[in-house]
Amino acid sequence: MKQLRDDGFRIEEVDDERTIDDILIPDCEAVPFTDENELSLPVLEYVAEFKALIDACGWVSYYYNMKRFLAANANKAKIVASSYNHDLRYYNDQLNTWREKARRSFDILSLHAKKFGFAVPAKNDFLNSLTLYKTRRDCYKYYIGRYLKTESIMSPKQLEQKFAERVSKRLKRKE
């Protein structure tokens, strides 16, 4: 039978051995750290930073387009901006913030890529290619998620080859 102690602020189980001496060990600390867990940590860091880079490039694209369309007085952009009470300055500030986040993510990704011996493309070319093409971002995210399940990762060059294969298959289907 479980007995509960109520002192007005918290309710604790008194029959649990971990709570008798007020020492409650979180379950994550109770699991011993093994070599098996060590191998997946760099993979997770690489994948997480790659996804962060892709997301940052997506936001750069969004804020760039909103800024451009607001400056051109496009009706849809004005409706969206007015519904959130945003102006051109807000979109410019957000664009600069997300550009910096994308650059920082690229720098961190290149450090993680070096751990695996991957070559990273030129910074501006890579960031621009991810920012300009939503299909490229979607393709990269798909393959990153797919290969994460098997803990095998792909270099940026391999991801670009997969994207090129996808585009060529689409062109063949159209013909």
Side-chain angles (χ1 to χ4, degrees), residues 12-146:
E12 294 185 36
E13 296 179 9
V14 293
D15 65 337
D16 189 353
E17 295 171 0
R18 298 178 297 170
T19 59
I20 291 173
D21 296 327
D22 291 329
I23 300 173
L24 182 62
I25 301 172
D27 292 337
C28 63
E29 292 177 10
V31 176
F33 194 73
T34 62
D35 291 337
E36 182 179 300
N37 294 342
E38 266 183 53
L39 294 176
S40 64
L41 190 61
V43 172
L44 293 176
E45 289 174 346
Y46 176 79
V47 169
E49 203 56 49
F50 215 127
K51 284 186 176 184
L53 174 66
I54 292 169
D55 291 339
C57 288
W59 283 111
V60 168
S61 176
Y62 172 75
Y63 287 116
Y64 175 78
N65 288 324
M66 284 299 290
K67 177 185 165 189
R68 194 179 77 188
F69 292 141
L70 270 179
N73 286 327
N75 284 336
K76 285 186 178 182
K78 288 188 333 188
I79 291 169
V80 169
S82 66
S83 67
Y84 291 107
N85 296 326
H86 293 153
D87 57 354
L88 189 61
R89 182 178 176 198
Y90 169 80
Y91 289 106
N92 189 36
D93 291 343
Q94 288 296 317
L95 174 64
N96 291 334
T97 301
W98 282 101
R99 276 183 180 160
E100 190 56 39
K101 287 180 181 180
R103 288 184 187 117
R104 186 195 59 172
S105 288
F106 179 84
D107 293 339
I108 295 171
L109 177 70
S110 63
L111 291 175
H112 290 305
K114 286 180 185 177
K115 291 178 187 175
F116 296 107
F118 296 151
V120 181
K123 186 176 192 173
N124 287 336
D125 295 339
F126 190 65
L127 291 176
N128 287 338
S129 68
L130 281 175
T131 301
L132 293 176
Y133 303 107
K134 184 179 183 329
T135 54
R136 180 174 274 126
R137 291 192 304 267
D138 292 342
C139 178
Y140 281 19
K141 267 190 167 179
Y142 170 76
Y143 283 111
I144 287 172
R146 182 175 171 195

